[in-house]
Amino acid sequence: MELNNITECRKYFNIPVELIEYAYHKKYEKEFRVYLYLKSKSDGIINEALIDYADFRLSTGIHDKRTFNKYRDSLLKLNWIGYNKDSKNYFIRGFGALRENIELKKRSGVILKYEDIKNLKSFMEGVIICKSVRAQNFVTKKALLKKVGQAASKNGGALQADKFLVNYPAYYGLSNLGIGRKLICSQSHANRAKKSAEKRGFIQTNKKEQTLAIVNSYDSLLKLHSEEGNKIIFRKISGGRIKVSKQLHDEIIPLITFSRVGRV
């Protein structure tokens, strides 16, 4: 394999979702950054002498060679890469080899752009959030198809799907508590993760609220006596009245591209 032109790189990766989840929950995010950088340069062999550390810093946000060596050593222990001391060549394992070693089974993948390697933690969190939202959509549609199929069978004909849309959620999304459960983190970190993922274009969020009442004056007791007082919103509307609303969890629209990965 040619070992020149090492600063040239692939533009994107098709990464198994399970591998992202594994790396995130095992706290291998920095190791994964180094692995993806090396993989961007070659799917096979990279000679140590040809690694451009200035390019590495720019691409990964990891700032010194000593830190590179730390995570490289972790990758060697994980067997995500190999190294020959005589030739000083790194051998970059493919995603298929990693899936096999970790015993990952599912073939769902996501597309990561090369320029997002430096935002890898936010991307990984975005993937986990998007996967959950997509699962909500899938379960709802599956339930609808099952119901439509059963009804059609009983009545001897096809039914209009809109008769069953009352069972659809108004929108798909997650609360900070829900995100925290998926990421195994606090609600405050979940909120930061959601904002970071949106800032970097991995998700879109829309604020949602439910109108509870229209009142003539501000009633602080309404908020104090509410079981979810921190979610109660008072907003002035026309005529000097006050609209009392309850803040709901955000609608979350996945912007990450999902795909399929090969068996090997």
Side-chain angles (χ1 to χ4, degrees):
M1 176 178 291
E2 293 290 336
L3 296 178
N4 53 7
N5 298 324
I6 196 68
T7 57
E8 294 183 3
C9 63
R10 63 169 67 192
K11 301 300 181 182
Y12 66 90
F13 306 88
N14 185 10
I15 307 176
V17 171
E18 282 189 309
L19 179 58
I20 289 173
E21 293 174 310
Y22 177 85
Y24 180 81
H25 291 303
K26 290 290 187 179
K27 302 188 186 301
Y28 293 149
E29 182 261 329
K30 294 285 181 63
E31 287 87 347
F32 205 16
R33 271 199 247 177
V34 175
Y35 167 80
L36 288 173
Y37 176 80
L38 294 174
K39 188 171 178 61
S40 75
K41 305 305 180 184
S42 172
D43 277 326
I45 303 172
I46 300 176
N47 188 269
E48 183 177 41
L50 296 179
I51 295 176
D52 183 340
Y53 288 100
D55 179 64
F56 171 76
R57 287 192 295 272
L58 183 65
S59 299
T60 66
I62 297 173
H63 295 294
D64 57 69
K65 185 177 178 180
R66 182 173 59 181
T67 306
F68 167 86
N69 291 340
K70 172 184 175 181
Y71 295 120
R72 174 208 60 193
D73 292 345
S74 294
L75 290 171
L76 289 169
K77 290 179 181 178
L78 289 168
N79 197 29
W80 289 17
I81 64 173
Y83 182 68
N84 184 299
K85 292 183 179 179
D86 295 328
S87 65
K88 299 189 182 302
N89 284 336
Y90 289 107
F91 302 91
I92 315 304
R93 314 292 187 219
F95 291 135
L98 269 56
R99 290 180 68 232
E100 184 176 345
N101 290 341
I102 305 170
E103 297 184 344
L104 305 179
K105 304 298 183 184
K106 296 181 180 179
R107 297 179 61 197
S108 177
V110 287
I111 302 301
L112 170 69
K113 296 178 182 177
Y114 174 81
E115 58 264 28
D116 283 322
I117 290 178
K118 66 177 64 174
N119 301 318
L120 186 60
K121 184 175 182 180
S122 182
F123 178 80
M124 295 164 84
E125 291 172 334
V127 168
I128 294 170
I129 293 169
C130 289
K131 178 184 174 182
S132 181
V133 173
R134 283 166 56 90
Q136 293 175 16
N137 191 318
F138 175 79
V139 169
T140 301
K141 288 183 177 179
K142 185 176 180 180
L144 174 62
L145 289 173
K146 182 178 180 180
K147 184 176 285 189
V148 170
Q150 290 174 343
S153 176
K154 289 179 181 179
N155 297 325
L159 298 178
Q160 293 295 322
D162 58 4
K163 292 182 180 180
F164 302 95
L165 291 182
V166 292
N167 295 323
Y168 265 48
Y171 60 94
Y172 300 105
L174 290 167
S175 65
N176 289 335
L177 177 62
I179 293 173
R181 287 172 176 166
K182 296 297 180 181
L183 299 181
I184 312 178
C185 67
S186 67
Q187 290 189 56
S188 58
H189 179 84
N191 187 49
R192 291 193 296 271
K194 178 179 65 179
K195 290 181 177 178
S196 177
E198 181 165 37
K199 178 181 179 181
R200 289 169 171 80
F202 304 138
I203 62 172
Q204 176 186 328
T205 67
N206 296 316
K207 298 296 182 184
K208 296 291 182 178
E209 60 184 55
Q210 175 187 2
T211 299
L212 300 179
I214 304 294
V215 298
N216 293 323
S217 61
Y218 177 85
D219 184 1
S220 60
L221 292 179
L222 182 63
K223 187 169 185 177
L224 292 172
H225 291 173
S226 170
E227 293 182 357
E228 297 180 300
N230 63 325
K231 295 183 179 180
I232 302 301
I233 303 167
F234 295 87
R235 186 177 292 113
K236 288 184 178 181
I237 59 175
S238 61
R241 294 181 299 171
I242 306 294
K243 181 169 77 170
V244 185
S245 302
K246 177 184 176 181
Q247 181 180 334
L248 304 176
H249 65 269
D250 289 349
E251 177 184 21
I252 298 178
I253 300 172
L255 299 179
I256 290 171
T257 300
F258 280 72
S259 60
R260 300 287 284 174
V261 296
R263 294 184 182 277
V264 294

